[in-house]
Amino acid sequence: MLLTSYSIMMIMMLSTIIMMLATMLSKKQIEDREKSSPFECGFDPKSSARLPFSLRFFLIAVIFLIFDVEIALLLPMTIIMYTSSIMMWTIISTAFLLILLSGLYHEWNQGSLEWAS
Amino acid sequence: MFKEIFGLFIIFILLVIFVMVGVAFLTLLERKVLGYIHIRKGPNSVGFIGILQPFSDAIKLFTSEQAFPFLSNYLCYYFAPVFSLFLSLLVWFVIPYFTGFISFELGLLFFLCCTSLGVYTVMIAGWSSNSNYALLGGLRAVAQTISYEVSLALILLSFVFLVGSYNLMMFYDFQVYIWMIFFTFPLSMVWFTSCLAETNRTPFDFAEGESELVSGFNVEYSSGGFALIFLAEYASILFMSMLFCIIFLGSDINSMFFYFSLSFLSFMFIWVRGTMPRFRYDKLMYLAWKSFLPLSLNYLLFFLGISIYLFLLLV
């Protein structure tokens, strides 16, 4: 465990070192107002980039959240199989998956998967 | 004790170095293959017939000037590529060697964690540059990656049900007599497509659609940051090819054939890039949610039944 954490730290250090190295190697900076402004095909940026936002992306993230939670519930199932009653396991997992599937079809039917409406 | 620590350390260093070298030659392969697809030569003069091209590319990238966008959140902007490379190198720990390396009992879970975290780096890279193109590219990349992650995890789960373990070594035991690709061919194709979408590769490269967003989420990045993002992307391509070989193509990591099929799959990524036009974004979302997700869920149910049958057969 300790060895693993050391090696994870080592990889973190390695990627940081590469980035630092790049910063040090590319020290021939010529400061320029235009160069350090956000790239906008030759125009000056009119407004902050962070204001406009399409809500579709947020809704997709919400749907993803539901499915990810369900995947998190599905993950231990295969390991549980070896230590539990196979009858109960079959019933529960099949019921869970069927509910998941019908939930997906319901979402589809209600049109929450439509991208452009 | 000291010997073990030292040995593991050396193995890690070797792993990281060889992944890096592999990435370097993957970029050369990509340029060369794309060149021949476009009926031109590709890089053919640096070193011996262009062998040293990736190294000169690296030197060029690392010594070019670094930009400091003054509207950006600089700390996030600076460290997003670092984390991106860190995650793509970290995920290589699950490589299922029999001796001398970490034995991951839950290797596939680790893989899922690392790929999920990969979303954040793209998002932070896009958001912190504070440019319209970068933000749009980042948003698209996040929506696409999380959508395909669901189907990716579900496909993976159906194999986990079949094999009965998250350990990647078990995949070798399971595929001694027949490879997975022969009896789950449609699922393997769906997995490959999801991999393409997950690594933001070409038919689905909306994160950097250069005809609409100049270069997507990495517009503002120059020398080092761009190089690290690039390295991370190609390392994850190599990793995805390796995972495909492990899950579907026999997983015999000690044979030479494994590495040939690994490079063939990396070649497939590039081949797809050379031939396919870019998809449409709404179609991409429909493909993920209305086609791949129901399919992988139904397959999961099917494999659940098979695994119960196998279990009853064995007990």
Side-chain angles (χ1 to χ4, degrees), chain A residues 56 111 113-117, chain B residues 280-283 285-286 290:
Chain A
R56 290 301 318 171
L113 301 181
E114 297 293 325
W115 186 257
S117 52
Chain B
R280 223 173 64 196
Y281 198 78
D282 57 335
K283 283 191 178 178
M285 283 298 160
Y286 291 154
K290 295 187 171 175

Side-chain angles (χ1 to χ4, degrees), chain B residues 121-186:
Chain B
T121 61
V122 174
M123 185 177 79
I124 289 171
W127 175 80
S128 66
S129 339
N130 205 353
S131 149
N132 279 312
Y133 294 115
L135 186 75
L136 284 175
L139 280 180
R140 284 180 177 193
V142 169
Q144 169 188 346
T145 316
I146 61 177
S147 305
Y148 278 88
E149 200 182 292
V150 175
S151 70
L152 205 76
L154 284 172
I155 295 167
L156 210 56
L157 261 179
S158 37
F159 293 112
V160 167
F161 271 126
L162 208 58
V163 175
S165 164
Y166 285 96
N167 197 342
L168 280 176
M169 302 219 188
M170 299 297 278
F171 279 86
Y172 173 68
D173 296 338
F174 199 84
Q175 300 178 83
V176 172
Y177 297 112
I178 185 165
W179 292 353
M180 291 273 200
I181 192 168
F182 290 126
F183 62 95
T184 62
F185 187 70

Side-chain angles (χ1 to χ4, degrees), chain A residues 11 13 29 40 53 64 75 83 98 101 114 117:
Chain A
I11 289 189
M13 261 163 56
Q29 199 94 44
E40 293 246 343
F53 186 79
F64 160 75
L75 282 173
T83 53
L98 283 175
L101 257 177
E114 297 293 325
S117 52

Side-chain angles (χ1 to χ4, degrees), chain A residues 1-115:
Chain A
M1 199 59 223
L2 199 66
L3 282 180
T4 321
S5 11
Y6 278 153
S7 17
I8 290 171
M9 272 160 60
M10 191 197 75
I11 289 189
M12 188 74 230
M13 261 163 56
L14 189 82
S15 39
T16 318
I17 285 169
I18 295 175
M19 190 69 179
M20 299 280 175
L21 201 72
T23 312
M24 273 187 269
L25 283 176
S26 59
K27 260 303 178 196
K28 48 177 193 311
Q29 199 94 44
I30 303 160
E31 285 290 345
D32 190 328
R33 185 180 149 274
E34 296 299 327
K35 196 186 280 174
S36 50
S37 74
F39 179 79
E40 293 246 343
C41 293
F43 298 105
D44 282 335
K46 258 184 171 173
S47 57
S48 173
R50 287 174 187 163
L51 293 174
F53 186 79
S54 169
L55 207 62
R56 290 301 318 171
F57 290 106
F58 176 70
L59 290 179
I60 282 289
V62 169
I63 298 172
F64 160 75
L65 199 66
I66 299 165
F67 276 95
D68 222 32
V69 168
E70 279 157 352
I71 287 170
L73 291 173
L74 274 171
L75 282 173
M77 234 160 214
T78 171
I79 299 173
I80 286 175
M81 183 180 175
Y82 296 102
T83 53
S84 59
S85 145
I86 190 73
M87 187 72 196
M88 294 308 286
W89 187 85
T90 310
I91 292 167
I92 288 171
S93 50
T94 314
F96 188 80
L97 272 179
L98 283 175
I99 290 168
L100 197 56
L101 257 177
S102 50
L104 175 65
Y105 290 141
H106 181 66
E107 260 175 21
W108 192 344
N109 186 30
Q110 296 292 311
S112 65
L113 301 181
E114 297 293 325
W115 186 257

